[in-house]
Amino acid sequence: AQSVSQHNHHVILSEAASLELGCNYSYGGTVNLFWYVQYPGQHLQLLLKYFSGDPLVKGIKGFEAEFIKSKFSFNLRKPSVQWSDTAEYFCAVNAYGSGTYKYIFGTGTRLKVLA
Amino acid sequence: GAGVSQSPRYKVAKRGQDVALRCDPISGHVSLFWYQQALGQGPEFLTYFQNEAQLDKSGLPSDRFFAERPEGSVSTLKIQRTQQEDSAVYLCASSGGLSEAFFGQGTRLTVV
């Protein structure tokens, strides 16, 4: 069965620090990969997505992620975080090629950025 | 509307009561998903519709959970004889083809 692992459950950073959140998935076929963000009191919003092509994907608010197929990873990065990045981040996988349409989510990483 | 709309936003139910949660997807979106999110966890898949057809209900935790989308737009998730372990946020998402899923605000269900 497909699964998604997020290694860091809670991360605390100071403003301007660099961020990297790990995400690994288990599925051998073709996948679409996503990072969603949930700001306090708000709904899940798409941060960035990878379907095909350049494995380095740029999203909104200065976030980027790199798809490394050999490592089954899709880590999220930001060079310099801001206080407004405080939120919960979810990695998700969708394996269209397997005939299923569902999105499988990781357990999330709660990021707190100190001003 | 512009986004996925869910109602009610909050629901308190007494144990044993039946509840119905509504989802209005983005107009024209073929795919509709229901997820359950417990506190401190990621969204867990419940069921998937393609238009009015329920193609996957593998995530429904018991036969007390039932979902429908009779006309291929609005969907309702019904939980019969609610139990305390049903307390969670129920998320609805819709998608138009091979793209990302757009989520609603969710319904927070508390069973007392």
Side-chain angles (χ1 to χ4, degrees), chain B residues 21-71:
Chain B
L21 312 180
R22 177 187 168 102
C23 173
D24 276 277
I26 293 173
S27 178
H29 276 189
V30 167
S31 300
L32 185 144
F33 306 83
W34 283 99
Y35 283 81
Q36 181 189 61
Q37 187 174 20
L39 196 63
Q41 300 295 316
E44 294 282 344
F45 172 80
L46 294 177
T47 188
Y48 163 69
F49 289 87
Q50 189 173 82
N51 295 307
E52 68 278 4
Q54 189 174 21
L55 297 186
D56 187 345
K57 53 182 181 179
S58 61
L60 296 177
S62 76
D63 58 8
R64 295 186 295 102
F65 286 70
F66 172 75
E68 60 182 5
R69 193 186 186 197
E71 297 177 0

Side-chain angles (χ1 to χ4, degrees), chain A residues 8-114:
Chain A
N8 317 98
H9 296 293
H10 292 91
V11 174
I12 301 175
L13 295 172
S14 298
E15 273 194 315
S18 64
L19 170 73
E20 180 158 4
L21 301 182
C23 172
N24 285 88
Y25 64 93
S26 65
Y27 181 69
T30 303
V31 294
N32 296 329
L33 298 156
F34 308 84
W35 275 96
Y36 281 85
V37 60
Q38 189 167 29
Y39 297 103
Q42 296 190 26
H43 62 283
L44 281 164
Q45 301 171 43
L46 183 72
L47 205 51
L48 48 77
K49 61 187 177 185
Y50 173 80
F51 282 9
S52 63
D54 188 343
L56 185 60
V57 180
K58 295 194 182 300
I60 60 171
K61 304 186 180 185
F63 286 91
E64 65 178 31
E66 185 175 14
F67 170 50
I68 304 179
K69 189 174 181 179
S70 61
K71 295 184 177 180
F72 298 90
S73 71
F74 190 56
N75 292 354
L76 181 71
R77 299 194 292 250
K78 185 171 184 178
S80 175
V81 295
Q82 300 174 308
W83 177 81
S84 57
D85 293 325
T86 294
E88 192 155 18
Y89 293 81
F90 295 94
C91 181
V93 168
N94 181 296
Y96 280 108
S98 69
T100 180
Y101 296 87
K102 60 187 175 186
Y103 298 77
I104 307 296
F105 284 82
T107 53
T109 297
R110 196 175 293 267
L111 172 66
K112 185 177 178 67
V113 179
L114 304 175

